[in-house]
Amino acid sequence: MATYLEFIQQNEERDGVRFSWNVWPSSRLEATRMVVPLACLLTPLRERPDLPPVQYEPVLCSRPTCKAVLNPLCQVDYRAKLWACNFCFQRNQFPPAYAGISEVNQPAELMPQFSTIEYIVQRGPQTPLIFLYVVDTCLEEEDLQALKESLQMSLSLLPADALVGLITFGRMIQVHELSCEGISKSYVFRGTKDLTAKQIQDMLGLSRPAVPIQQGRPLQAPEQPVISSRFLQPVHKIDMNLTDLLGELQRDPWPVTQGKRPLRSTGVALSIAVGLLEGTFPNTGARIMLFTGGPPTQGPGMVVGDELKTPIRSWHDIEKDNARFMKKATKHYETLANRTATNGHCIDIYACALDQTGLLEMKCCANLTGGHMVMGDSFNTSLFKQTFQRVFNKGLNGEFRMAFGANLEVKTSRELKIAGAIGPCVSLNVKGPCVSENELGIGGTSQWKICGLDPCTTLAIYFEVVNQHNAPIPQGGRGAVQFVTQYQHSSTQKRIRVTTIARNWADAQSQLQHIEAAFDQEAAAVLMARLGVYRAESEEGPDVLRWLDRQLIRLCQKFGQYNKDDPNSFRLSESFSLYPQFMFHLRRSPFLQVFNNSPDESSYYRHHFARQDLTQSLIMIQPILYAYSFHGPPEPVLLDSSSILPDRILLMDTFFQIVIYLGETIAQWQKAGYQDMPEYENFKHLLQAPLDDAQEILQTRFPMPRYVHTEHGGSQARFLLSKVNPSQTHNNLYAWGQVSNGRATCIWEYCKMYIQIIVCIVAVLFYLIVFGLRLGAGCICPALLI
Amino acid sequence: MSQQGYVTAPPYSQSQPRMGGFSAGFGPPNSSLHYGHYGDPNSSHAAAPQPGLSKSTVPLGSSAPLGPLPPATHQVSQNNFQSGPSAAGQQPHRFQSPLPPNNTGPSYPPGSHQSQPASPNTVSTSCTTQLANQLNSMQINSYGPGAIQSSHTSGHPQQLPLTQHQMTLQPGPQIPPPANNFSGLCAQSSLPSIARQDGIPGSGLPNPNLQQLPGQTPGPGYHPQQANYGPQMAGSQLSYPGAFPGGPAQLSGPPQKKLDPDSIPSPIQVIENDKASRGGQMYATNTRGQVPPLVTTDCLIQDQGHASPRYIRCTTYCFPSSSDMAKQARIPLAAVIQPFAIVPQNETPLYVVNHGETGPIRCNRCKAYMCPFMQFIEGGRRYQCGFCNCINEVPPFFFQHLDHIGRRVDHYERPELSLGSYEYVATLDYCRNNKPPNPPAYIFMIDVSYRNINSGLVKLICDELKTLLDKLPREEQEESSAIRVGFVTYNKVLHFFNVKSNLAQPQMMVVSDVGEVFVPLLDGFLVNFQESRSVVNNLLDQIPEMFADTNESETIFAPVIQAGMEALKAAECAGKLFIFHSSLPTAEAPGKLRNRDDKKLLNTDKEKTLFQPQVNSYESLARDCVANGCCVNLFLFPNQYVDIASLGLVTMYTGGTLYKYNNFQLNSDSPQFLTDLRRDIEKKTAFDAIMRVRTSTGFRATDFFGAIYMNNTTDVEMAAVDCDKAVTVEFKHDDKLNEDSGALIQCAVLYTSVSGQRRLRIHNIGLNCSTQLADVYKTCETDALINFFAKSAFKAILSQPLKVVREILVSQTAHMLACYRKNCASPSAVSQLILPDAMKVLPVYMNCLLKSTVLTGRPEIPTDERAYHRQLVMSMGVADTQLFFYPQLLPLHNLDLKSDTVPAAVRCSEERLSEGGAFILANGLSMFLWLGVSTPPELIQGLFNVPSFAHISAEATLLPDLANPYSKKIKSIVERIQSQKPYTMKLMIVKQREQPEMLFRQFLVEDKSIHGGASYVDFLCCVHKEICQLLN
């Protein structure tokens, strides 16, 4: 099976595609019996340093309903200069430029190694990237200061010709004009009044006056940049100005009385930002970056009232239908998100507060537009600072790791249809012959818009085999799928990336073992997880879990080998062996479990789960646990409580957190200061090893994970304890005298564990009380995981 | 003029027999004046049979009894008439041609006895006739016929009659039928025939007059839109048709001709007499019902228990004791209260009484404040309220023993016991929300639309503000002003500025949501200028540049006020907005206005709508402003219709001041504007004021006029009130008044001072009561009466047609005089016009009021001008209305350069001008320097530093500063006139017989007005006729 693993890996590296099944069941009926749908994880912009883009237009199939791109799978008649589309079998003439084509002189797109190819095309004027900062000023002084510094720093990271804009908000919203000398100028809006895009543009003076009056001067085009340039200016021009402006930014001056939240008009601010870009730069790459330090408390999109005594909604409130503003707010942000998506802009949300900030309501802004969502405790943390800095990271070839306004089109050969996609995209509602009626995820279309994406952005695309059982596919027939992604590169070029893949068909009855062997359990786990999470957004938690369980049971039933009524006889082949484990951890994951998570946290976790690539997604589903000890080199160990040993250092990566846990003995040694003694240098190295590894992860991860360094018995050990499979818990530890898993533990240890738990609970209660008083919010704070 | 009350004693007895005009009695020496019964129709008819015959064919009677004069005679009298060239740049010609005397009002019913000047009369060289002719000819106010300019020049006056005759023959029939019931037209149409019949040329001037007018460019202050001087421009008419019941009791022509202008009561004489008798002396207000000196008289006033006349002036100082009497006399009982009037340096400023926590002592029942009218009884333990007679306990801390005459021992130590006016420090109970008020704020709101930028106005304002802000008003004892300032600019959107002192540069915040305007910032908008000086100066430097390339021409208005008000509200203080605005607010926003100026509405029932605001939102805005203590000062720079009736409404209700500079030109108008601005900023102002007028039993205040807002019937609310604002209060009887206790009035104003102190200002005045009408008439004050009449009429035009309002004024005048005649004067012939001494100038003033632009619905007068005047007058004090309605005309050519006195004024009549003289005319809004054609060259040299009359540039608005006695003297006179006037008068130089003279002539209020107002004499006749009718 190593071959399949290699094949899968190779395919992923080349095309950024991973299918749940790499050999496809040839009939609809069989496909449905496979339980896990035929689907793939597509990373459209997977970094390919070895893939030089070609500088011409792709050749398209001439059939209007097809328009597939010429690819290595096409049959080419070099003499007649014809090619046959492998999707619709239309025979097409090569364009004149291809006159010199021959077997030995093939264009790149016909070479098998270019199953993924990128075209640079010239379409329309190139507009620089746009970054519109939307900054909350209702922050604590030091938070604001930190945020200001981050923003000022970010100016140096932007491309010099990028346009930047600044909107600040608190009780009112200020749209800053950036080109002013001698006076800082801003347009102010009331935070309570919802404005239509037209009103906003009128008030900002963006709508051109009725020009028909001045006849005979169709000089519109040159005017446009002039008008919009007041609020969006090239960085290199207003660098100093904006730095000063940010420097002078004050906290929202309106007084906040005792027992009140500051009035924060996030809803209108966002609406103005969207309206501003909508009016000035539709369909060009732009990021609206929202920095907020608390929930919206007034106007459209408000999430909670300004009375501190009424806490922000919790899952409990939502279940009891007690969240007053949720529906309205969600609707407001949804409308905004859809508008933004239509214009091809994306919205990032950077929410840093101890309490919730309304991510639940605002999530669609980031989700539908492919923006980032970052949640932290304060802007004055390295978590935020580094994460924000990482937004402007550059890739291998020195280009920004961001792309805009992508349009992903999927074409399938006729045995397949597209059921839907799950990821940071919106449907473009393009119906076609290859669109299935059964929807999985965002369906009913063959095209999606991804307004903001980076090389990691991954979509799950679900297919449906429509070939009827009685219409067998000729031997050796292959099913093909083509992904065409048109996008705006960070260099502002328009590019088209085309990936064409093909897989063999197999008859499930006669060739089940082939299909079985070609199962990609990792991809399948992530694909199923995405479906589960997608469902969880709209369905009750238990239903989703039940559905997942049923799917797992059916899969085991189909592919497991067992003797009836003999549980011990159950065997799964190697290609399925890990799948149940993934499902187990998925059930426990914060993506499906809301207990102990605030609605905001759930939204945050789900947001990231729906866009990360396979590896990261797997980490999210089943955190990785590494053990460091003197017994051997660092090794991955089971995510199980049995892995927690006194003489081990554990490093757990849950994607959102990185926990370094010192076992009991190690911790004692460390306290005793052995690492400082020259003779115990090896201990020093042991301590250092996980730190270095953690650093490595921290360096690359976006968003920056929460870094926890703890030890046996430490309060933050809960991060680890909550994740591991509780094969040893206080429950079975409790059972006096009973020894589980063959590990002998003295009663004293149980007692200690017991005491520790008690202490922990007391600490939690204290924490709750303090927070409850301070925030007036009954939210269970993110750190509470007992 | 006899001081005993004879207004006139016509000295022309020699003419009497012939004219049959004056009866023998020129007034027996009682307190009344007898006019000769020059209105006896019979005799006049008899005296002039010939024209009478011809006249009978004239349909509507005629105001134009044309008394042709022999050329020779005419020439003699002509010198006075040549008042300037007809049009600039044209050869001067004589437009005051030998006009036939054009007598009384036009609306005599058909067939009335029109006594015509008999030819023999006019031919006679009697000086009476000539004078009468002169007098009458003045009324025509006509300029020479344009068509005949070439044919006659001043050098050939003799030709004039002939050509005029020709003229009248031809255009006569072309006169369109009367557009309204001004019968002047009819009168004109009859002119040619008369002229022909008489066979004497020189009649029918009105016609050429009409043709001339269109050629005249309107003077400054008038918009081009009035260029269509239609043929309706009747020269001779009285426009009070309703005032003339017709019938026999008219004044007839021939006797009237003999009326010497010097014989009718002269306001100048009255003023001068009062000056002579009371000027420069001390006037102590120690007696109840004492009539103070006239407003025009300078004297030292000492408060001895009643408020100084500077604060309160009453129409009469003796109220009739019963309402029946009051109804009979029809004398309005009113007081003009100017609570914050400026007192000269040499008079004591108001004392401030501070009772600490307790606050002012007030009557338990009527809440009147402790004042000299409270009577202490029971050894000083109690006091009886003079207003409601309630007996109150004296608070222990205030107790004091009484002396042998029942007066408190500390009477003279406590201002509230001995003075008519004083102030109390108010306690928290008197404050909004029981919180001590914040110091007020001034917000400057500048229209930065294209026009204002282009005209340089914005720069001018900004530059000026830099120096002006150092002069914000402050309390005497304080070093710097507590007033905070804020800045807003606007065109279609509002720009607020953050000028917090710690900012490196100002911040501008644009609010474009004008539909629901709000204040975008809290901190840094209103700042102390001293602290934020550099930022503010930086801002003021930048504003003109910032908008230098604007092309925004649309403006908003109501949201601007709203914004200012919201800002003050947010800052929890009262304050003033200074709005510099120039155009009709047409941008899409609340309070958007359209141009609704419609000349067709004039003289219809709908005319009143022109004075009402166009949209309701202004009224509610005004209400909100008043509620938040936000006063709106409006500086307007229009060059077309801007709908002042709407724009000015908030200003009016909030006690603000409206300034208007038509066709603002940076060079010529900025001194005037800047002076106004400076004065307004420096002005002592009371903020967030509420006034209450309490009276003793038997009468009460019923009506209030002024720049005020009233939510209920008693509380007069003023967002701010400054030293120039006066409130006129009308009183009505509830019951009989007691002659012993008199009528007491207490006016209390609760306000916030410039430093943010809450104070109460109390003015007390006691009036007499009498059962004798004569007492009432004796103590009347004509200036106050006119103030009252003007305000009540100007208020009435909002609800009633102009015509009705004018009729009411005329009939009221007649009633007052008739009642006097009936009840007080000694018996005399009915035909005698008898005027009470205190009211002898009432008719002339009343006539001035009647012919004020507001009350004359003429298409030539811009609607805005009328609305503007209406608004100004509504808040004027007595001195201002006096000057406004009867301008001051000072001769300059015979100055005594040695003394520093201002020359005595002369009557506002053209005949007082002379070719060889120079005059200054001022009415409080405009000032003219009129130069006769033969002004002495040394005077011209001294004033203008040019050799001759021809070299004088009429464009100048300032007299050059020259080091010669003439210049110095006249400049000092100009300064003297200007001092203490609320509005800066722009000096206009008018050369005789040049075109701007037309404008100038409107201010010669004793003459017939170009806009159709009657001459003094005509009006007198008309009133007399009314009186006669009433008496019959």
Side-chain angles (χ1 to χ4, degrees), chain B residues 874-911:
Chain B
M874 283 310 277
S875 63
M876 273 185 183
V878 181
D880 296 333
T881 43
Q882 192 276 333
L883 185 65
F884 181 74
F885 289 114
Y886 195 91
Q888 211 172 359
L889 182 62
L890 304 176
L892 299 180
H893 45 281
N894 41 15
L895 286 175
D896 176 7
L897 294 177
K898 302 283 182 312
S899 80
D900 59 346
T901 52
V902 173
V906 295
R907 302 176 64 166
C908 286
S909 171
E910 177 153 15
E911 70 184 275

Side-chain angles (χ1 to χ4, degrees), chain B residues 551-570:
Chain B
N551 50 10
E552 188 59 71
S553 54
E554 283 193 315
T555 54
I556 50 171
F557 187 72
V560 179
I561 298 178
Q562 176 92 24
M565 184 205 44
E566 297 282 350
L568 294 177
K569 196 169 158 189

Side-chain angles (χ1 to χ4, degrees), chain A residues 172-174 177 180-193 195 200 202-205 241 245 248-250 253-255, chain B residues 493 495 497 500 502-523 538-539 542 546-547 570:
Chain A
M172 306 199 168
I173 296 104
Q174 279 176 269
E177 200 170 295
C180 328
E181 287 295 325
I183 189 164
S184 52
K185 193 171 167 187
S186 59
Y187 282 65
V188 189
F189 293 83
R190 199 194 275 273
T192 49
K193 192 174 169 189
L195 299 163
I200 291 168
D202 282 350
M203 289 178 183
L204 288 175
N241 259 358
L245 188 61
E248 279 202 358
L249 215 53
Q250 297 294 315
W254 300 88
Chain B
V493 295
H495 318 111
F497 293 94
K500 209 171 162 180
N502 57 7
L503 289 176
Q505 58 183 37
Q507 289 176 353
M508 170 179 182
M509 299 174 126
V510 185
V511 171
S512 25
D513 186 1
V514 290
E516 257 181 89
V517 79
F518 58 93
V519 187
L521 75 170
L522 192 63
D523 197 18
N538 184 348
L539 171 69
Q542 284 195 50
M546 222 182 313
F547 301 97

Side-chain angles (χ1 to χ4, degrees), chain B residues 706-724:
Chain B
I708 54 168
Y709 186 82
M710 296 197 65
N711 258 327
N712 51 34
T713 50
T714 51
D715 296 340
V716 181
E717 292 182 50
M718 296 168 282
V721 50
D722 60 44
C723 52
D724 301 316

Side-chain angles (χ1 to χ4, degrees), chain B residues 465-726:
Chain B
L465 281 182
K466 276 186 254 174
T467 54
L468 272 188
L469 291 180
D470 274 322
K471 298 177 183 158
L472 294 172
R474 58 189 163 83
E475 301 279 347
E476 264 90 26
Q477 67 275 17
E478 282 169 25
E479 261 183 32
S480 66
S481 174
I483 290 178
R484 289 175 295 164
V485 291
F487 303 88
V488 172
T489 58
Y490 65 94
N491 39 43
K492 221 163 68 176
V493 295
L494 288 151
H495 318 111
F496 290 78
F497 293 94
N498 184 348
V499 284
K500 209 171 162 180
S501 55
N502 57 7
L503 289 176
Q505 58 183 37
Q507 289 176 353
M508 170 179 182
M509 299 174 126
V510 185
V511 171
S512 25
D513 186 1
V514 290
E516 257 181 89
V517 79
F518 58 93
V519 187
L521 75 170
L522 192 63
D523 197 18
F525 177 62
L526 294 178
V527 295
N528 185 314
F529 176 66
Q530 307 302 336
E531 288 166 12
S532 294
R533 180 186 297 272
S534 65
V535 192
V536 170
N537 283 344
N538 184 348
L539 171 69
L540 293 173
D541 281 335
Q542 284 195 50
I543 286 177
E545 293 165 28
M546 222 182 313
F547 301 97
D549 47 1
T550 186
N551 50 10
E552 188 59 71
S553 54
E554 283 193 315
T555 54
I556 50 171
F557 187 72
V560 179
I561 298 178
Q562 176 92 24
M565 184 205 44
E566 297 282 350
L568 294 177
K569 196 169 158 189
E572 293 180 332
C573 64
K576 252 195 218 182
L577 312 182
F578 292 81
I579 302 183
F580 305 92
H581 191 84
S582 70
S583 53
L584 195 67
T586 51
E588 201 52 61
K592 175 186 173 181
L593 299 177
R594 60 189 165 75
N595 189 337
R596 52 147 180 186
D597 192 13
D598 186 358
K599 299 289 186 209
K600 285 203 271 310
L601 295 184
L602 296 181
N603 301 307
T604 67
D605 282 356
K606 284 202 174 141
E607 183 171 3
K608 62 189 179 207
T609 59
L610 292 178
F611 296 103
Q612 294 163 348
Q614 197 177 122
V615 286
N616 289 333
S617 58
Y618 284 99
E619 223 148 317
S620 55
L621 183 60
R623 190 175 55 235
D624 290 348
C625 282
V626 172
N628 289 296
C630 166
C631 163
V632 179
N633 268 356
L634 187 54
F635 293 80
L636 280 172
F637 306 88
N639 52 13
Q640 60 195 4
Y641 179 71
V642 292
D643 200 346
I644 286 178
S646 300
L647 294 190
L649 190 81
V650 183
T651 302
M652 171 91 161
Y653 278 153
T654 58
T657 314
L658 179 64
Y659 299 92
K660 184 159 81 87
Y661 311 93
N662 287 322
N663 301 316
F664 183 81
Q665 298 295 322
L666 202 60
N667 299 332
S668 51
D669 295 307
S670 48
Q672 184 198 8
F673 159 60
L674 293 180
T675 322
D676 277 340
L677 177 61
R678 193 172 308 130
R679 192 165 182 281
D680 201 285
I681 286 179
E682 293 171 12
K683 230 182 222 182
K684 273 270 160 67
T685 309
F687 298 90
D688 200 7
I690 185 158
M691 180 170 105
R692 183 75 188 260
V693 177
R694 292 186 172 79
T695 55
S696 54
T697 48
F699 73 111
R700 70 195 153 86
T702 52
D703 255 320
F704 298 86
F705 311 93
I708 54 168
Y709 186 82
M710 296 197 65
N711 258 327
N712 51 34
T713 50
T714 51
D715 296 340
V716 181
E717 292 182 50
M718 296 168 282
V721 50
D722 60 44
C723 52
D724 301 316
K725 297 285 179 296

Side-chain angles (χ1 to χ4, degrees), chain B residues 151-198:
Chain B
S151 67
H152 69 91
T153 64
S154 55
H156 305 279
Q158 302 89 335
Q159 293 177 354
L160 188 58
L162 184 60
T163 35
Q164 277 185 342
H165 178 56
Q166 288 165 348
M167 280 309 295
T168 50
L169 279 175
Q170 285 154 6
Q174 292 164 6
I175 297 166
N180 47 36
N181 64 351
F182 284 179
S183 44
L185 283 175
C186 306
Q188 282 169 28
S189 58
S190 70
L191 291 176
S193 67
I194 298 163
R196 262 176 296 165
Q197 203 175 34
D198 290 349

